[in-house]
Amino acid sequence: MVNLNLLPKGLRRRVGPDWWRTAAIVVPLLILGVAGYVTVQTQSTLNARLNERDQLRAEVQILRPYVNEYRKLERKRKELEEIASVAREVRATFKPWSEYLANFLRRLPKRGGRLSVSLASINARPIDPDRAQQTYGVPAQVEFTLRGEAASDRALIDFVHTFETDPGFGINFQNASYDKKTGIYSFSAAVGVVVKPPEASGEEKHESSQ
């Protein structure tokens, strides 16, 4: 059987699908779905970050005593380093004058167990090694200026020769005068002393060996 629609085209009922209505329904649903998916994913990521933050906070609380102890040890280490630095500075500037003087007096020439010269005065002071090298021919760090007397020319020569030939000393002989009445030589001189560096302590030796 054949159906004929004799109505005008404007009044005829549409038989095919209505794409605009379908789109009007589907598109909002699709947008809502995408928005919901994005929201869920965002919330999931946010929850993961919050959980991670809470976990890190818990770890910080656990590690806080260790961090505080480390900071205390670090402050203690810096204090010890400052003390060690002061000790090194003091050690570098300290002069054991008694040792230097004893070393000098032991080198005075003797005859028959007695000193060949007698010293009337001794003055001591530090000296720059470079200047001492020019004056004494050795890089002395300590200088003794002295006045003394010698009972004979041989004693005076022995005195000068002793400090001329010893590599740990240098001498700058300044002047001498002879008293005909007493037969005694009065003289003045300066003696430079080469200071040996102190031996390293056991701890410093151990560190240097490493």
Side-chain angles (χ1 to χ4, degrees):
M1 182 171 61
V2 178
N3 292 324
L4 295 176
N5 191 348
L6 300 178
L7 292 174
K9 291 184 178 180
L11 297 178
R12 294 177 183 175
R13 190 166 67 95
R14 295 179 181 178
V15 178
D18 193 344
W19 296 108
W20 290 107
R21 288 184 179 180
T22 303
I25 296 173
V26 172
V27 170
L29 291 176
L30 182 61
I31 293 174
L32 289 175
V34 172
Y37 175 78
V38 172
T39 301
V40 171
Q41 289 296 108
T42 303
Q43 187 64 39
S44 176
T45 302
L46 178 60
N47 291 337
R49 295 292 182 267
L50 291 175
N51 291 335
E52 183 178 354
R53 183 202 62 183
D54 294 339
Q55 184 177 359
L56 290 175
R57 284 181 176 177
E59 291 178 359
V60 168
Q61 292 299 324
I62 294 173
L63 295 175
R64 189 179 300 278
Y66 301 98
V67 173
N68 293 336
E69 185 65 21
Y70 170 78
R71 289 174 178 172
K72 290 180 182 178
L73 293 175
E74 187 67 15
R75 286 195 298 267
K76 189 67 175 178
R77 183 185 66 80
K78 291 181 179 179
E79 292 175 359
L80 292 176
E81 284 183 351
E82 292 176 358
I83 294 173
S85 177
V86 172
R88 286 192 296 268
E89 184 177 351
V90 170
R91 194 160 54 238
T93 57
F94 173 71
K95 304 294 184 184
W97 292 106
S98 60
E99 180 181 335
Y100 301 156
L101 181 60
N103 188 28
F104 166 72
L105 293 177
R106 282 195 296 266
R107 296 301 299 152
L108 292 175
K110 297 179 181 179
R111 283 184 176 273
R114 300 183 63 180
L115 292 175
S116 300
V117 297
S118 61
L119 301 179
S121 66
I122 302 178
N123 293 317
R125 66 171 184 172
I127 186 173
D128 179 69
D130 293 333
R131 188 168 71 85
Q133 184 71 48
Q134 299 175 359
T135 303
Y136 300 107
V138 294
Q141 291 94 356
V142 176
E143 180 183 62
F144 289 106
T145 56
L146 50 95
R147 292 187 299 107
E149 295 179 343
S152 64
D153 55 355
R154 182 73 260 171
L156 184 58
I157 293 171
D158 288 345
F159 170 78
V160 176
H161 181 73
T162 296
F163 294 107
E164 278 183 335
T165 56
D166 192 316
F169 295 87
I171 186 169
N172 179 22
F173 187 78
Q174 296 167 347
N175 61 69
S177 60
Y178 177 68
D179 190 333
K180 294 182 179 180
K181 293 182 179 180
T182 60
I184 293 177
Y185 289 88
S186 298
F187 65 90
S188 62
V191 175
V193 182
V194 178
V195 177
K196 295 180 180 180
E199 294 185 0
S201 64
E203 181 178 354
E204 290 173 344
K205 288 181 179 178
H206 177 70
E207 290 178 355
S208 62
S209 64
Q210 292 179 347

